[in-house]
Amino acid sequence: MFISQQLRKTNIAEYILYMWQIEDIIRAYGCDLTLIRKDYISRFDLTEEQREEMIDWYGNIIRMIREEGLTHGGHIQINNIVVQQISELHAQLMQSPKFPFYNAEYYKVLPFIVELRSRGNKDISEIETCLNALYGVMMLRLQHKEVTVATENAVKEITTFLGMLSDYYKKDKEEGIKELMNDEI
């Protein structure tokens, strides 16, 4: 919970990946808050107040997962909305001539996106495709499975691209870059 609050402010792509991991952790515990409290939250060095906040936070996510019928997979709506927001920002950045470095980075990543989409879900946004790639590699690493050099190279480029997008998202939230984009369009 505390990590998610910090990531939401500093790096929206990392926030999404973290939240997807939280969804998977909750599912691994069978969406059982008692088990999560006993076997997971108890590991953290927290004050009693922080522990109660964290228990409430996990409880709310569990409730959303259950209400949205996602106990076996998928992402809760609040996470999907964030992905949609950054996908919309991506589209706006691409349409504006004021962000040539972002455009250049996108075109460096585009071949990887095309390849990933040809193997996976073509109905999701390019940004979600990139996030899925990073999440998949993160899971492979956690399982101590091999990641090929080609995949490492793709992940490096995708990480740079999503880092730029996250920086623009943060800047937009703090300063409002959308007005800058609208001046040209």
Side-chain angles (χ1 to χ4, degrees):
M1 175 189 101
F2 304 108
I3 295 170
S4 73
Q5 291 170 341
Q6 186 61 33
L7 287 175
R8 179 121 192 188
K9 294 175 192 170
T10 59
N11 189 314
I12 200 67
E14 287 182 12
Y15 166 80
I16 292 164
L17 296 172
Y18 178 80
M19 291 303 296
W20 287 358
Q21 186 177 23
I22 293 298
E23 292 170 338
D24 283 345
I25 288 168
I26 288 170
R27 288 185 194 105
Y29 282 97
C31 296
D32 185 331
L33 184 57
T34 303
L35 274 178
I36 291 170
R37 176 188 301 161
K38 184 177 128 234
D39 295 340
Y40 185 72
I41 295 174
S42 65
R43 297 183 203 171
F44 297 101
D45 184 25
L46 303 169
T47 66
E48 190 56 38
E49 183 179 323
Q50 290 172 324
R51 188 174 322 286
E52 289 305 314
E53 278 183 65
M54 188 174 269
I55 291 166
D56 286 345
W57 186 74
Y58 274 90
N60 285 330
I61 295 173
I62 290 168
R63 180 185 48 75
M64 287 182 253
I65 286 172
R66 286 183 178 150
E67 286 176 359
E68 295 175 27
L70 301 170
T71 56
H72 296 356
H75 304 298
I76 55 178
Q77 196 57 35
I78 60 169
N79 292 337
N80 289 335
I81 289 169
V82 175
V83 173
Q84 182 179 344
Q85 288 171 342
I86 65 171
S87 294
E88 289 169 1
L89 177 61
H90 162 70
Q92 291 172 334
L93 291 168
M94 291 301 297
Q95 291 174 356
S96 173
K98 298 210 174 199
F99 305 96
F101 294 113
Y102 181 82
N103 254 280
E105 194 59 40
Y106 167 74
Y107 285 108
K108 283 172 67 177
V109 171
L110 186 57
F112 302 121
I113 294 171
V114 170
E115 183 179 345
L116 290 165
R117 291 182 88 171
S118 73
R119 293 190 220 163
N121 187 347
K122 295 165 186 59
D123 297 329
I124 61 175
S125 71
E126 292 176 327
I127 300 305
E128 189 168 352
T129 297
C130 290
L131 290 163
N132 281 337
L134 295 185
Y135 192 76
V137 169
M138 184 175 79
M139 291 294 104
L140 288 174
R141 288 181 179 145
L142 285 172
Q143 297 167 14
H144 305 288
K145 293 186 177 175
E146 183 182 343
V147 178
T148 67
V149 173
T151 299
E152 288 287 354
N153 291 335
V155 163
K156 181 180 173 191
E157 292 296 334
I158 290 169
T159 299
T160 300
F161 170 65
L162 288 178
M164 286 182 81
L165 181 56
S166 291
D167 289 345
Y168 281 120
Y169 181 88
K170 180 180 176 193
K171 186 173 183 152
D172 185 45
K173 293 297 177 195
E174 293 172 352
E175 303 170 26
I177 62 168
K178 289 182 182 168
E179 291 91 28
L180 180 64
M181 289 187 276
N182 292 333
D183 289 345
E184 276 302 304
I185 297 175

